[in-house]
Amino acid sequence: MTTTSRTDTRSRAESDWSGANPADEEPGRDCPLCPRLVDYRLSVRAREPGWFNAPVPSFGSPDAALLIVGLAPGVQGANRTGRPFTGDYAGDLLYGTLLKYGFAAGHYQARPDDGLTLLDCRISNAVRCVPPQNKPLPAEINTCRAFLKAALAAMPRLRAIVALGRIAHDSVVKGLGLRANAAPFAHGAVHDAGAVRLYDSYHCSRYNTNTRVLTPEMFESVFAQVRADLTRAEPIAAL
């Protein structure tokens, strides 16, 4: 069996990041914009120097039609591995669902070198740095929205956005320039924003699934609708 050290994992993730996206889409490794997040990031770096411990870049091609927006990296998940939703329970449900509906290929093994690829899909977060207790402050969400808006602008084929949770939903709504009262959050809700549709889902966290706020069936139904809508739109887009 081949093993990968934590240092090797971090180095590979940083190497993949360095040329993956234009600079204006991603904060730098030592982004200074949110002092509280900087302090927390540095404290985790000191404790776990082999982890990624930096703003987590988007995963997937900017040419994708689907963008998935989560809340923020988990400390032992994406903050450790350097890839969104990789290394914690939320990734098990998300990537399993993406594989089922043809938005990913390969095998998800909870590490950034597992060979999993996204198909016409990209994943990002409303906040790129890990926040203490998984709770970013409003000012941090507002500050990081500049990177979300840049990511949206960099996707010329964008047709669908899945927001995982209310915070991601609210940040996407503001990033798209929509009125909040015109696009209220609700699981399974769909909102039109010009050529783009915003689909809402409860976040696929272990807490939500353990409490049955979100079941796998509820989560899959959102992506089933996205797949159906994108498939119906393909002949029109090809004209």
Side-chain angles (χ1 to χ4, degrees), residues 21-88:
N21 296 291
D24 62 351
E25 286 185 62
E26 307 291 349
R29 174 170 174 78
D30 294 304
C31 179
L33 296 179
C34 301
R36 188 183 75 114
L37 300 188
V38 172
D39 288 345
Y40 186 56
R41 185 173 71 218
L42 292 176
S43 71
V44 179
R45 267 189 207 173
R47 187 175 75 243
E48 296 288 352
W51 290 6
F52 188 71
N53 292 323
V56 175
S58 303
F59 175 37
S61 171
D63 199 42
L66 169 62
L67 175 66
I68 299 165
V69 180
L71 171 56
V75 65
Q76 296 187 57
N79 178 70
R80 174 174 61 86
T81 64
R83 192 176 74 180
F85 290 91
T86 300
D88 54 22

Side-chain angles (χ1 to χ4, degrees), residues 145 166-167 169-186 189-193 198 200:
R145 189 173 303 115
R166 183 181 297 275
I167 291 176
H169 164 91
D170 289 347
S171 202
V172 169
V173 165
K174 291 178 181 178
L176 292 173
L178 300 177
R179 291 183 296 108
N181 61 1
F185 175 80
V190 181
H191 311 281
D192 287 322
L198 171 60
D200 288 339

Side-chain angles (χ1 to χ4, degrees), residues 11-12 72 82 84 94 99 107 113 123 161 176 178 187 199 234:
S11 297
R12 183 176 294 107
L94 175 60
L99 286 163
H107 299 280
D113 62 348
I123 304 175
I161 302 171
L176 292 173
L178 300 177
H187 180 82
Y199 301 76
E234 283 173 359

Side-chain angles (χ1 to χ4, degrees), residues 142-171:
N142 291 338
T143 296
C144 215
R145 189 173 303 115
F147 299 108
L148 176 60
K149 291 174 72 174
L152 293 170
M155 299 183 68
R157 295 183 57 251
L158 183 63
R159 295 294 178 270
I161 302 171
V162 174
L164 302 180
R166 183 181 297 275
I167 291 176
H169 164 91
D170 289 347
S171 202

Side-chain angles (χ1 to χ4, degrees), residues 59-61 64 66 68 83-86 91-109 114-123 223 226-227 230:
F59 175 37
S61 171
L66 169 62
I68 299 165
R83 192 176 74 180
F85 290 91
T86 300
D92 294 344
L93 180 55
L94 175 60
Y95 286 114
T97 302
L98 295 181
L99 286 163
K100 180 173 181 177
Y101 289 96
F103 291 113
H107 299 280
Y108 173 68
Q109 297 178 17
D114 56 15
L116 182 108
T117 59
L118 298 181
L119 304 176
D120 210 19
C121 176
R122 199 179 196 203
I123 304 175
F223 286 90
V226 173
R227 170 53 72 197
L230 288 178

